[in-house]
């Protein structure tokens, strides 16, 4: 492991991209050239190191974020390869949460694609510095310029283009390093032999390279004051190499610019310069501001720096189940040192645990280590209660600080699942619990009406993979129901609703009187509760009137409202975009308490929601279809038949790219339908966009179908 003094030589990075942009292939080359693996795995051969799950190798996609550690130029690179498929975006989310930098891989033909945009936004939200690798420069239709322009227009990035390609498409043979004005080429098929040579003036790209270097200096000067000062005095040619690199590094770390390099991972060209860019421009833990946690007792902010001398602070960002060792909890150490046999405190869950083993993980292989220091990533064995998003400190730490957790997306699709035999029910329950711990975007609940076990996820593929893993890993045969859309409910009109609750429970009277106003909010605004009962007015010299409701009773109403939001009147889906205002109330001393007001609010609102024009909301997906010209008309017509709205169309590498918004209910089984309609030549991606009202005629049909009457 790195010594505490060597934190500056650590790079915690992720690789992110749209599906099929080539990030797993890029990662495989990184492992090969850094000496971690001795054979390059290929996605199409199903033998990649990082995609080690059978489902990943069969489908040629990355599902889980795999971790590995490698060395380059004396630097330790902790690398996480993340999925590109939208169904597994939580894997990207939780990885970016703990990383200090990222490599964004773009397809040089397709440019910026929908999932590229999604993961870029995720990285921006967590302030993760990035370098860009424009891959597949050897493909027909590949251009560096178009991808760079799309980065500007779609991602609002500030590219600092450090290389230009030599040769286009199949003629691509190397790159020109614009910082040193050298030709970089690869002299063997495996790409292990890297040659650098000065760019001669007679070279056909010399003038282009000169102009591109000037453009690079100008782009750096725009986002770095030191480079700008020299540039204004001496021009682009007067900016020395060391200053230019330092400016690029400062701009990258501050998220003011993105260094762009290019190559073709499949043909083994461009990976070594990419590794150089990771070391040269992406930050170490010391380059970033101290992490701010909050004391659990008073929510006061506490700063922790990346130092071994600081108290231990770590975040659990991933859980994997090992059949022999049990749960492997991946930890990012922000400060301090974690050792084997250490007693730790899970601040999030208020649980004490003990580290039995620490593992340096390389995809599906592990190496036992004795300690892990600030800035690094490792997996811990022996933690029974710690899960994704939990904060871990030393057991004797009196401050008990906690880090922000993860934003977990709500499920948009459900499927019922049951064991084929009663003997397997316990094993199925255990497998589902394990899957939930590994994947926080996967949920399991019991339907209160049917008693069925319902799995919730981010898409059909997400749940298919879960079911497949249960069958293979837990060896539990299951019956799985058809996909069900995760609807939401809301109200269509404002309603003032009086509630009087008067019950005898356990021989004791429970009384509460309320006046609630229900107000629909704009879509996406969320739910809210507001107490509008005016405070008692105290006249000079007079005793203040008692409040209409005591604070604990208002708290009971608030809790009751929150309870009521969980189950709507139409189909029992959660209510959204509703504000409940407490406008009046009354209590009887001795017969009223927080419990009675909570019950009054919950039960009264169930009736109120039914009277407030309840409406069903459905998830609407952002869909992008790539289709050959010949089939464009058919695809557009089919999307319209699915209640889709085409937002735009543009040609791309001989295909038409159709952007549309389509209700998720209409997209179930779309993959099969699209393949059959286009002879297997079209592809699509989709991700959640927003919830929208279901048309009234369809609402009645859905309610009848779900209820059965």
């Amino acid at each position: 492991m790195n010594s505490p003094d060597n934190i500056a030589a650590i790079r915690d990075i992720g690789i992110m991209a749209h599906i099929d942009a080539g990030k797993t292939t890029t990662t495989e080359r990184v492992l090969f050239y850094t000496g971690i693996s001795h054979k390059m795995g290929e996605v199409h051969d199903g033998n990649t190191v990082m995609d080690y799950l059978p489902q990943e190798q069969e489908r040629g996609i990355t599902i889980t974020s795999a971790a590995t550690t490698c060395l380059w130029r004396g630097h330790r690179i902790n690398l996480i390869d993340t999925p590109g498929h939208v169904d597994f975006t939580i894997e990207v989310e939780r990885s970016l949460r703990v990383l200090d930098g990222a490599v964004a891989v773009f397809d040089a033909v397709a440019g910026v694609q929908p999932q590229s945009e999604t993961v870029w936004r995720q990285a921006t939200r967590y302030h993760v510095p990035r370098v860009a690798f424009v891959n597949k420069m050897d493909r027909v239709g590949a251009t560096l310029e178009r991808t760079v322009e799309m980065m500007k227009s779609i991602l609002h990035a500030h590219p600092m283009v450090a290389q230009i390609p030599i040769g286009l498409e199949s003629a691509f043979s190397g790159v020109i390093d614009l910082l040193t004005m050298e030709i970089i080429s690869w002299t063997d098929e495996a790409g292990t032999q890297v040659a650098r040579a000065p760019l001669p003036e007679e070279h056909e790209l010399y003038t282009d390279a000169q102009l591109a270097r000037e453009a690079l200096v100008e782009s750096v000067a725009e986002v770095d004051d030191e480079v700008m000062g020299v540039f204004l005095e001496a021009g682009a040619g007067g900016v020395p190499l060391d200053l230019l690199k330092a400016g690029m590094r400062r701009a990258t770390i501050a998220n003011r610019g993105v260094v762009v390099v290019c190559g073709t991972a499949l043909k083994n060209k461009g990976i070594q310069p990419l590794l150089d860019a990771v070391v040269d421009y992406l930050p170490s833990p010391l380059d970033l501001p101290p992490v701010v946690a909050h004391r659990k007792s008073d929510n006061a902010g506490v700063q922790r720096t990346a130092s071994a001398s600081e108290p231990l602070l770590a975040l659990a960002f991933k859980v994997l189940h090992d059949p022999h060792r049990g749960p492997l909890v991946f930890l990012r150490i922000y400060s301090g040192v974690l050792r084997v046999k250490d007693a730790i405190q899970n601040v999030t869950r208020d649980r004490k645990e003990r580290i039995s083993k620490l593992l340096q993980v390389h995809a599906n292989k592990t190496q036992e280590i004795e300690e892990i220091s600030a800035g690094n990533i490792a997996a811990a064995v022996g933690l029974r209660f710690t899960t994704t998003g939990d904060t871990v400190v030393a057991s004797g730490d009196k401050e008990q600080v906690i880090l922000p957790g993860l934003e977990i997306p709500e499920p948009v699709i459900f499927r019922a699942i049951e064991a084929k035999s009663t003997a397997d029910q316990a094993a199925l329950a255990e497998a589902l619990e394990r899957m939930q711990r590994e994947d926080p975007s996967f949920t399991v609940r019991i339907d209160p009406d049917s008693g069925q076990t319902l799995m919730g996820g981010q898409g059909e593929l997400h749940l298919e993979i879960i079911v497949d893993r249960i069958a293979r890993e837990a060896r539990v045969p299951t019956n799985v129901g058809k996909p069900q859309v995760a609807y939401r409910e809301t109200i269509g009109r404002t309603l003032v609703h009086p509630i009087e609750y008067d019950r005898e429970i356990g021989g004791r009277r429970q009384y509460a009187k309320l006046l609630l106003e229900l107000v629909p909010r704009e879509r996406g605004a969320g739910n809210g509760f507001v107490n509008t009962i005016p405070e008692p007015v105290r006249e000079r010299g007079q005793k203040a009137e008692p409040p209409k409701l005591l604070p604990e009773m208002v708290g009971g109403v608030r809790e009751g409202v929150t309870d009521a939001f969980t189950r709507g009147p139409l189909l029992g889906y959660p209510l959204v975009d509703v504000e409940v205002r407490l406008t009046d109330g009354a209590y009887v001393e001795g017969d009223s308490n927080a419990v009675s007001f909570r019950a009054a609010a919950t039960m009264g609102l169930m009736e109120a929601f039914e009277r407030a024009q309840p409406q069903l909301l459905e998830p609407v997906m952002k869909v992008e279809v790539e289709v050959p010209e010949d089939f464009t008309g058919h695809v557009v017509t089919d999307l319209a038949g699915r209640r889709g709205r085409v937002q735009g169309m543009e040609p791309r590498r001989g295909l038409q790219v159709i952007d549309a918004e389509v209700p998720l209910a209409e997209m179930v089984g779309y993959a099969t339908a699209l393949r059959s309609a286009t002879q297997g030549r079209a592809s699509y991606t989709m991700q959640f966009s927003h919830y929208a009202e279901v048309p009234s005629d369809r609402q009645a049909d859905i309610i009848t179908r779900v209820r059965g009457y």
Side-chain angles (χ1 to χ4, degrees):
M1 292 303 300
N2 280 76
S3 69
D5 299 329
N6 209 20
I7 296 175
I10 296 173
R11 300 289 184 271
D12 293 323
I13 69 165
I15 298 187
M16 59 187 202
H18 185 89
I19 189 172
D20 289 335
K23 77 187 162 342
T24 298
T25 304
T26 301
T27 307
E28 292 293 319
R29 297 319 186 253
V30 167
L31 299 185
F32 179 74
Y33 297 127
T34 56
I36 295 296
S37 61
H38 303 289
K39 182 178 180 296
M40 289 183 281
E42 304 291 357
V43 173
H44 55 266
D45 291 336
N47 63 355
T48 57
V49 174
M50 297 294 274
D51 287 349
Y52 58 87
L53 290 180
Q55 298 85 352
E56 295 177 312
Q57 296 183 346
E58 290 168 7
R59 298 169 186 260
I61 61 173
T62 303
I63 296 167
T64 61
S65 52
T68 191
T69 295
C70 56
L71 297 173
W72 185 256
R73 284 172 40 195
H75 290 69
R76 179 177 294 275
I77 300 175
N78 297 314
L79 175 65
I80 292 184
D81 181 31
T82 55
H85 198 286
V86 69
D87 284 16
F88 309 103
T89 189
I90 184 61
E91 290 284 340
V92 183
E93 183 89 14
R94 61 180 169 187
S95 299
L96 288 171
R97 173 68 177 78
V98 298
L99 294 175
D100 299 334
V103 175
V105 179
F106 296 99
D107 184 326
V109 180
V112 176
Q113 296 169 277
Q115 189 64 4
S116 314
E117 189 178 353
T118 299
V119 296
W120 191 273
R121 284 201 307 269
Q122 289 172 310
T124 300
R125 185 162 69 248
Y126 290 121
H127 310 289
V128 176
R130 282 142 279 179
V131 299
F133 178 59
V134 182
N135 191 27
K136 302 187 180 183
M137 291 299 302
D138 60 318
R139 300 280 295 276
V140 175
T143 69
L144 178 64
E145 293 82 358
R146 185 175 65 246
T147 303
V148 169
E149 286 304 313
M150 292 175 78
M151 288 176 66
K152 293 177 183 176
S153 61
I154 298 174
L155 305 178
H156 307 294
H158 184 80
M160 299 179 292
V161 181
Q163 298 174 353
I164 61 171
I166 300 173
L168 297 173
E169 301 176 347
S170 62
F172 175 74
S173 61
V175 299
I176 296 173
D177 184 335
L178 298 177
L179 286 92
T180 61
M181 294 297 282
E182 291 178 313
I183 294 172
I184 305 176
S185 58
W186 287 263
T187 57
D188 64 324
E189 193 172 326
T192 58
Q193 304 297 318
V194 186
R196 282 181 171 265
L199 178 68
E201 291 188 16
E202 61 271 16
H203 195 282
E204 61 180 350
L205 293 176
Y206 184 82
T207 302
D208 291 346
Q210 288 276 37
L211 293 171
R213 192 184 195 282
E214 289 175 11
L216 169 63
V217 175
E218 286 183 25
S219 67
V220 178
E222 288 175 20
V223 289
D224 186 80
D225 291 342
E226 289 188 39
V227 175
M228 175 61 82
V230 176
F231 173 70
L232 291 175
E233 285 186 14
V239 178
L241 176 61
D242 289 349
L243 177 62
L244 183 59
K245 288 184 71 172
M248 292 166 71
R249 178 173 178 80
R250 285 190 295 268
T252 301
I253 293 172
N255 273 302
R256 294 194 298 266
V258 180
V259 175
V260 181
V261 296
C262 62
T264 167
L266 188 63
K267 298 295 177 61
N268 311 317
K269 294 179 173 68
I271 303 302
Q272 294 93 336
L274 173 61
L275 284 164
D276 288 337
V278 167
V279 168
D280 290 338
Y281 305 118
L282 291 181
S284 78
L286 296 177
D287 291 315
L288 299 173
V291 172
V292 178
H294 291 86
R295 274 199 302 266
K296 203 170 181 180
S297 58
D298 58 5
N299 204 37
V302 177
Q303 289 190 347
R304 294 283 171 85
T305 58
S307 167
S309 60
E310 291 258 338
L312 174 68
L313 177 63
L315 183 75
F317 68 96
K318 183 178 178 66
V319 179
L320 282 180
H321 182 79
D322 185 287
H324 306 293
R325 298 187 176 103
L328 302 182
V329 180
F330 286 74
L331 298 168
R332 162 68 195 265
I333 313 298
Y334 286 102
S335 63
V337 179
L338 181 64
R339 298 178 177 87
V340 175
K341 306 301 182 185
D342 275 359
I344 60 163
Q345 177 77 18
N346 183 327
V347 185
T348 309
R349 303 184 186 278
D350 198 21
R351 290 272 196 171
K352 284 187 165 46
E353 302 224 58
R354 188 173 293 275
I355 305 290
S356 61
K357 290 181 182 178
L358 283 173
L359 305 173
Q360 190 74 66
V361 179
H362 170 57
N364 63 333
K365 298 183 178 68
T366 57
Q367 173 192 351
E368 289 194 25
I369 54 177
E370 290 302 309
E371 66 177 42
I372 177 82
S373 61
N376 269 301
I377 290 170
V381 180
L383 305 183
R384 294 185 297 147
F385 306 108
T386 303
T387 189
T388 301
D390 290 357
T391 299
V392 168
V393 301
S395 65
D397 192 332
K398 294 180 180 178
E399 284 202 291
Q400 295 285 291
V401 296
I402 192 166
L403 290 160
L406 295 173
E407 292 186 22
I408 309 299
E410 291 288 320
V412 295
I413 197 163
F414 289 98
R415 296 187 79 170
I417 187 170
E418 63 180 18
K420 285 189 176 180
S421 72
T422 53
D424 289 325
Q425 285 178 353
L428 175 61
E430 185 182 332
L432 289 171
E433 185 180 349
R434 177 159 57 83
M435 294 297 171
Q436 283 187 96
R437 193 175 180 197
E438 288 189 12
D439 181 356
S441 68
F442 171 67
T443 64
V444 179
R445 66 178 180 88
I446 306 297
D447 187 277
D449 298 323
S450 66
Q452 288 181 308
T453 300
L454 295 179
M455 307 181 295
Q458 304 307 302
E460 283 186 89
L461 180 60
H462 187 194
L463 296 184
E464 278 178 27
I465 296 292
I466 294 284
V467 172
D468 194 32
R469 288 188 63 191
I470 289 171
R472 296 194 197 208
E473 298 170 20
R475 302 179 187 267
V476 178
T478 59
N479 295 318
V480 181
K482 292 181 179 178
Q484 306 170 34
V485 173
Y487 294 99
R488 293 290 183 267
E489 299 183 28
T490 192
I491 60 173
R493 71 180 183 97
T494 299
L495 176 74
V496 176
H497 187 70
I499 303 167
E500 189 166 16
Y501 180 83
D502 194 350
R503 302 279 177 90
E504 188 172 309
I505 301 173
R508 184 177 174 183
R509 187 188 184 200
Q510 296 279 350
Y511 181 83
K513 189 174 183 180
L514 296 169
L515 187 65
L516 300 178
E517 184 180 11
L518 282 64
V519 181
R521 284 182 162 183
E522 288 186 9
R523 203 61 60 240
N527 294 325
F529 170 77
V530 183
N531 177 18
T532 64
I533 299 176
E535 292 286 329
V537 179
R538 180 178 178 179
E539 300 290 341
R540 185 183 293 270
Q542 294 183 351
K543 193 177 178 181
E545 292 183 15
K548 286 281 185 78
L549 294 179
L550 300 175
E552 60 267 27
M553 296 171 183
V554 175
V557 175
R558 184 186 303 274
E559 290 175 3
V561 170
T562 302
D563 293 343
F565 283 149
T566 62
R567 188 168 173 83
L570 296 174
L571 294 174
Y573 289 102
L575 280 124
V576 296
D577 305 333
V578 179
E579 182 173 289
V580 175
R581 298 170 183 170
L582 173 60
T583 60
D584 203 359
Y587 67 95
V588 175
E589 199 165 338
D591 295 335
S592 302
N593 54 32
V595 174
S596 57
F597 275 89
R598 179 173 182 167
T602 302
M603 297 178 67
L605 282 172
M606 291 172 69
E607 180 189 346
F609 290 145
E610 289 185 359
R611 294 177 51 207
Q613 292 180 358
Q615 295 176 340
L616 205 59
L617 303 176
E618 62 183 347
V620 176
M621 311 302 284
K622 181 182 177 184
V623 180
E624 183 182 88
V625 186
E626 289 190 349
V627 58
E629 292 274 4
D630 298 349
F631 300 100
T632 302
H634 178 87
V635 170
V636 169
T637 303
D638 182 62
L639 289 172
R642 297 173 184 271
R643 297 191 286 130
R645 294 189 300 169
V646 174
Q647 306 292 304
M649 294 173 58
E650 67 172 68
R652 187 184 300 168
R653 55 176 180 178
L655 301 171
Q656 278 293 332
V657 180
I658 303 167
D659 289 314
E661 290 183 348
V662 191
L664 177 60
E666 307 293 343
M667 293 298 291
V668 174
Y670 184 65
T672 303
L674 183 65
R675 279 197 300 270
S676 66
T678 62
Q679 301 172 7
R681 296 170 62 193
S683 63
Y684 81 103
T685 59
M686 71 175 183
Q687 56 188 305
F688 173 76
S689 175
H690 62 279
Y691 278 94
E693 292 174 18
V694 176
S696 55
D697 58 331
R698 297 195 65 85
Q699 176 168 307
D701 292 342
I702 293 168
I703 292 172
T704 302
R705 187 176 72 248
V706 175
R707 289 179 177 173
Y709 59 89

